[in-house]
Amino acid sequence: MHAPSSPPPAAQPEDAAAMRRPSAARRRKEEAIVTEAECQFAQFGFEGATLEGIAAACGISRHNLLYYFPSKEALYQRVLDAVLDQWLAGMQDLAQSDAPQQALRDYIRAKLRYSRARPNGVKVFAKEIIAGAPRYTAAIRARVAPLLQTEVQRFERWADEGRIARVDFTHLMFALWALTQSYAEQEAQFALLLGRPALTEADYAAAEALICRLVFGALGLAE
């Protein structure tokens, strides 16, 4: 009489995590889809972009795209999440710094670099905000608001220490966002008015210098 066979060993936590982790090939395909979706959402908006158009540009069928993202809403959310992740990384650097001039200069440079490197992402986010954030209100409240409050508190501490002049620091951050993001949202107009096909590295350097000068002047900081 044979002894009953032992049950297979239970999966260890590491094994379970590995089973849930997407393969490198799947991650590459998802990234390609997200990149194309970002372009089309920037150009056509959420309503105008279609899964068929995004899939065709990626060389796959709509059915195949739905294997990676179950709906247009899920894909749109993924695009916005990716944009916000990168934006918030720069905000965290500002909130954690303790040198006002350098922190602000680095932040302004990073935001302008982001506008130049990822203009479509900035445009998608701007379109969502202009529409009243109908699909992203919860994420903004949950992720942006706490970090903005941390930044304002850092400015308040610098002001209490006499290191910067006191202004409305919340609106200071709003102004910084508007100034830097406009170089993505209105890049075509700016380039047209400057008489060239696209903004150059020198244009972004000039923008950085002027924005720093304006902000430093408002805060009583030396350039």
Side-chain angles (χ1 to χ4, degrees):
M1 184 174 182
H2 295 288
S5 59
S6 301
Q12 296 301 310
E14 298 83 358
D15 298 335
M19 291 172 64
R20 292 193 301 270
R21 192 179 303 125
S23 67
R26 181 184 178 105
R27 289 197 300 272
R28 286 194 297 272
K29 178 59 73 174
E30 288 182 356
E31 288 168 6
I33 293 170
V34 169
T35 298
E36 180 57 37
E38 188 173 298
C39 293
Q40 297 208 22
F41 285 133
Q43 183 175 0
F44 304 115
F46 176 80
E47 299 297 341
T50 66
L51 291 181
E52 290 82 1
I54 295 168
C58 293
I60 59 177
S61 67
R62 181 181 185 277
H63 179 76
N64 193 222
L65 187 151
L66 290 172
Y67 170 75
Y68 296 96
F69 297 96
S71 65
K72 185 166 78 167
E73 288 77 8
L75 180 53
Y76 184 69
Q77 182 88 18
R78 174 69 172 271
V79 169
L80 288 173
D81 285 346
V83 173
L84 190 58
D85 286 346
Q86 193 169 353
W87 178 31
L88 293 184
M91 290 178 69
Q92 288 171 339
D93 291 341
L94 177 59
Q96 293 167 2
S97 179
D98 201 39
Q101 284 107 322
Q102 192 59 50
L104 284 163
R105 193 181 300 279
D106 289 346
Y107 181 73
I108 291 166
R109 180 177 298 129
K111 288 288 274 99
L112 285 170
R113 187 184 303 120
Y114 180 56
S115 290
R116 187 179 188 190
R118 198 169 185 174
N120 287 324
V122 176
K123 291 171 185 175
V124 175
F125 201 88
K127 286 178 184 290
E128 174 68 12
I129 298 303
I130 290 169
R135 298 174 179 85
Y136 213 60
T137 297
I140 292 171
R141 284 177 175 162
R143 301 184 62 194
V144 180
L147 195 48
L148 174 61
Q149 184 178 13
T150 299
E151 288 181 336
V152 169
Q153 289 171 348
R154 176 57 56 94
F155 282 123
E156 291 285 357
R157 183 168 67 78
W158 284 339
D160 290 342
E161 294 169 351
R163 301 171 69 183
I164 61 174
R166 188 176 296 282
V167 298
D168 187 319
F169 297 121
T170 300
H171 283 281
L172 174 67
M173 291 306 302
F174 292 167
L176 275 176
W177 296 349
L179 285 167
T180 53
Q181 289 166 207
S182 68
Y183 281 82
E185 297 164 11
Q186 301 188 55
E187 193 269 349
Q189 178 181 211
F190 292 172
L192 179 65
L193 293 173
L194 288 169
R196 35 184 166 266
L199 295 179
T200 66
E201 184 70 35
D203 293 324
Y204 282 92
E208 178 189 329
L210 179 58
I211 294 171
C212 285
R213 186 175 183 181
L214 292 171
V215 173
F216 287 5
L219 296 176
L221 293 168
E223 293 184 47

